Amino acid sequence: MSTTRTARFVQNTLSTALYQLTAMVMGFITPRLMILYYGSEINGLIVSVTEFLTYFKMLEAGLAASVNVALYEPLARHDHQAVSGIASAARLFYNAAGWMFTGLTVAFTIAYPFFVPVRDLNGLPVSHLSVMVLILAMGLSGMLEFFTMARYRVLIAADQRTYVVSLASMSSLMLSTALIVVLPYLGMDVIVVRLAASLTILVRSVLLSRYAKKHYPYVDPHAEPNRAALSTRWDALSVELTNVFQQGAGAILGTVVTRDAGLLSVYGVYHMVTVGLWGILKMGTTGINSIFGNLLVSGRKSAFQRAYRDFECLYYMLVSILFGAAAVLIVPFVTLYTHGVTDAANYDAPLLGMLIIAEAVTNHAKMPMDLMITTSGKFREVRSHCFWQIGLTVVCGTALGLLLMPYGTMRALCGIVAGVCVGNLARTVLQLRFIPKEVTGIPWQKTAWRIVRMFVTTVLIAAPCLLLVDPPQRFFSWAMYGVMLVLYASAVTLAVTWLFDRKALRSLLERLTFMLRHIGH
């Protein structure tokens, strides 16, 4: 790894780590405030609507991935004319996607209140008009993002400067959370709170716009658009839509099958934990696409293969540590987190907690291979994988949910989450047949064994603690227990990796040592 590429990676990783830690802390603050001030059903509404809006916002995801891939080579060659052509085409496509997002949001706003009944903290029904206005307030940030900042974000990310996006996003997020903390305390309606939070996206837009204009003055967003360079955008869209759907499938299918806003709040609190852990994993993956992309376009196959092997080894080790510990800690954490909540929602749901951990682990089993799809731009080749995953998730999740519905909405939701796990596993198997052969050139058996070891290690970490240790009853003891558990999980994971993947572990340690020596250079 070159010194320049290492320095960029370290900058991106540290800034992303800071942003993800901030997002995780802020993400834990917000739901509790919503539950305490406005009730579990309002929080469940926010959880449900957020997942739908996130899915709608993925209209730009395929475009972002396509723009990134298209920009790698001209940025590396300093071809300013080519960069301008791609940026101009991106501007036009982002505007079109913004109008599509707006249309979907408005249609969803009209339909949702008639589908899911919502009650406030006092158990009184919330009017359809109030629900509609709340959804529009939440969707406003997505609309503003399409029309003001998305094209700057992808240009900066493709140039391996993700740290700029992370710092701008952190500024916006901190302001948004501050408003969510202060405004309910002042007695403001939840609509005012969410509207104010949505408008903070403008802070990020201004910061990224100024940075792009200063550091990329040669980019002409009104140049002759190179639409052909973004021809893979629809294929990329299918991949990104699938990834986002899987992450929100529990809430989306739970909304359709159960129509229980209080239950969705329970799901949202448990899912919040795995989202936080995903944020930790993103610390080492944000910006890595551009590094692998640079290696690919430069034809350095052996360097690419070694870098991917090291990354894959590290990623699966981290998944084992984080989710092995989370399987033990999630239920006592949610119990402590919701202490003092007096509405009808029941947050003591061990089975749901274990299934949500299983959903996360099966999803992360394919993540390194997903990153290689984005890096290589082979979106069209894996469209069928996406269709199979979504199809199995919807069919299995809906079928299990409806089958268990007579036994209660909680069991129905557990059935839905189990269906999501089936879809994740199917996609992993399909990726194993494609990525090693067509992208990495590394035998598929090596990746397969790493995935199997990840599952086994996660169970080895969690099972003894679940069976032998009583859950902590206070936050301080929970935190202390968590620290000890992470140390134990790290020791188990390192031991298993040393026994069965020693060469990759040695190479990974050499790379990490090299990176630490070049911080700041």
Side-chain angles (χ1 to χ4, degrees):
M1 181 180 271
S2 70
T3 302
T4 301
R5 198 164 62 245
T6 298
R8 287 277 180 88
F9 179 76
V10 171
Q11 287 176 321
N12 290 337
T13 301
L14 292 178
S15 61
T16 302
L18 185 59
Y19 169 69
Q20 293 298 337
L21 286 172
T22 304
M24 185 166 57
V25 172
M26 304 301 176
F28 286 144
I29 293 172
T30 302
R32 179 168 173 81
L33 290 174
M34 291 296 103
I35 294 169
L36 290 176
Y37 281 97
Y38 304 109
S40 288
E41 293 205 9
I42 293 293
N43 183 61
L45 165 69
I46 292 170
V47 169
S48 174
V49 170
T50 298
E51 294 300 343
F52 279 97
L53 291 177
T54 300
Y55 198 57
F56 297 158
K57 198 161 66 175
M58 283 301 104
L59 286 165
E60 73 96 12
L63 180 57
S66 184
V67 172
N68 274 326
V69 172
L71 283 172
Y72 289 149
E73 189 170 351
L75 283 171
R77 292 188 286 105
H78 304 287
D79 188 340
H80 296 172
Q81 184 178 356
V83 172
S84 291
I86 295 169
S88 179
R91 178 182 62 83
L92 296 175
F93 287 130
Y94 270 114
N95 287 341
W99 287 113
M100 291 172 65
F101 174 83
T102 301
L104 285 170
T105 301
V106 170
F108 177 72
T109 298
I110 295 171
Y112 190 94
F114 297 95
F115 191 74
V116 180
V118 181
R119 292 169 295 180
D120 62 17
L121 186 61
N122 298 316
L124 300 175
V126 179
S127 71
H128 288 181
L129 179 61
S130 295
V131 174
M132 289 179 183
V133 176
L134 176 58
I135 295 173
L136 284 177
M138 293 175 63
L140 182 61
S141 63
M143 301 175 200
L144 291 173
E145 184 169 2
F146 273 107
F147 292 116
T148 62
M149 61 157 279
R151 57 185 180 272
Y152 300 120
R153 188 186 69 238
V154 293
L155 172 62
I156 295 168
D159 198 28
Q160 301 182 37
R161 299 179 186 271
T162 312
Y163 60 91
V164 177
V165 179
S166 296
L167 295 176
S169 299
M170 187 169 64
S171 301
S172 176
L173 177 63
M174 292 177 71
L175 178 58
S176 172
T177 306
L179 290 172
I180 291 174
V181 170
V182 172
L183 293 179
Y185 179 77
L186 296 177
M188 294 295 179
D189 188 86
V190 67
I191 294 173
V192 176
V193 176
R194 300 309 302 194
L195 177 61
S198 291
L199 290 174
T200 60
I201 195 73
L202 292 174
V203 174
R204 184 168 58 161
S205 300
V206 170
L207 292 173
L208 292 182
S209 174
R210 289 185 176 180
Y211 183 90
K213 289 176 180 178
K214 179 180 179 180
H215 289 82
Y216 307 97
Y218 58 84
V219 175
D220 179 7
H222 299 282
E224 182 67 26
N226 182 3
R227 292 181 172 86
L230 307 182
S231 59
T232 63
R233 65 189 183 279
W234 296 116
D235 299 318
L237 177 63
S238 63
V239 174
E240 295 298 331
L241 281 175
T242 303
N243 292 339
V244 172
F245 175 79
Q246 286 301 114
Q247 292 174 28
I252 293 172
L253 294 179
T255 300
V256 174
V257 174
T258 70
R259 303 186 184 186
D260 186 337
L263 182 65
L264 293 173
S265 178
V266 177
Y267 172 86
V269 171
Y270 277 94
H271 193 245
M272 171 187 68
V273 176
T274 59
V275 170
L277 296 177
W278 169 221
I280 293 174
L281 289 169
K282 285 181 71 175
M283 294 177 191
T285 59
T286 301
I288 204 167
N289 282 346
S290 56
I291 294 174
F292 283 121
N294 181 271
L295 288 171
L296 278 177
V297 298
S298 63
R300 300 176 61 189
K301 185 176 180 180
S302 60
F304 169 80
Q305 288 180 330
R306 183 187 172 191
Y308 177 72
R309 179 195 63 192
D310 294 352
F311 168 70
E312 189 178 75
C313 178
L314 175 62
Y315 194 89
Y316 290 137
M317 287 175 65
L318 290 175
V319 170
S320 298
I321 294 168
L322 292 175
F323 291 99
V328 181
L329 296 170
I330 189 169
V331 175
F333 169 78
V334 171
T335 302
L336 293 168
Y337 181 83
T338 57
H339 178 72
V341 174
T342 57
D343 56 34
N346 180 15
Y347 290 89
D348 184 14
L351 179 58
L352 178 64
M354 293 303 102
L355 284 169
I356 285 179
I357 294 295
E359 174 197 346
V361 175
T362 54
N363 187 39
H364 286 290
K366 63 181 179 57
M367 282 298 179
M369 294 181 284
D370 285 349
L371 287 171
M372 292 305 101
I373 293 170
T374 304
T375 298
S376 62
K378 293 185 179 296
F379 304 110
R380 176 167 297 181
E381 293 85 344
V382 299
R383 282 187 304 178
S384 61
H385 302 179
C386 301
F387 297 147
W388 273 106
Q389 183 179 12
I390 289 181
L392 283 171
T393 298
V394 172
V395 171
C396 294
T398 304
L400 288 171
L402 292 174
L403 184 66
L404 294 172
M405 192 68 177
Y407 303 98
T409 53
M410 175 59 75
R411 292 189 181 182
L413 182 59
C414 289
I416 290 169
V417 177
V420 177
C421 294
V422 173
N424 289 342
L425 290 171
R427 175 79 177 277
T428 300
V429 172
L430 292 170
Q431 303 286 63
L432 274 172
R433 295 179 58 190
F434 178 80
I435 297 299
K437 179 180 179 181
E438 301 295 335
V439 180
T440 64
I442 298 172
W444 67 268
Q445 293 90 339
K446 291 185 179 296
T447 297
W449 278 116
R450 286 195 182 111
I451 293 172
V452 171
R453 284 197 298 271
M454 177 192 71
F455 285 122
V456 172
T457 305
T458 303
V459 173
L460 287 175
I461 293 167
C465 300
L466 287 170
L467 293 173
L468 301 175
V469 181
D470 293 329
Q473 302 298 318
R474 297 180 181 274
F475 259 122
F476 180 77
S477 58
W478 178 90
M480 292 299 99
Y481 181 50
V483 170
M484 298 302 296
L485 187 57
V486 169
L487 292 174
Y488 162 70
S490 301
V492 172
T493 302
L494 281 170
V496 171
T497 307
W498 179 257
L499 287 173
F500 298 102
D501 205 359
R502 193 169 303 177
K503 182 179 179 181
L505 182 59
R506 283 174 172 165
S507 177
L508 173 62
L509 292 174
E510 290 174 5
R511 184 178 297 273
L512 293 175
T513 302
F514 179 84
M515 289 169 55
L516 290 172
R517 287 175 178 171
H518 288 82
I519 292 177
H521 288 73

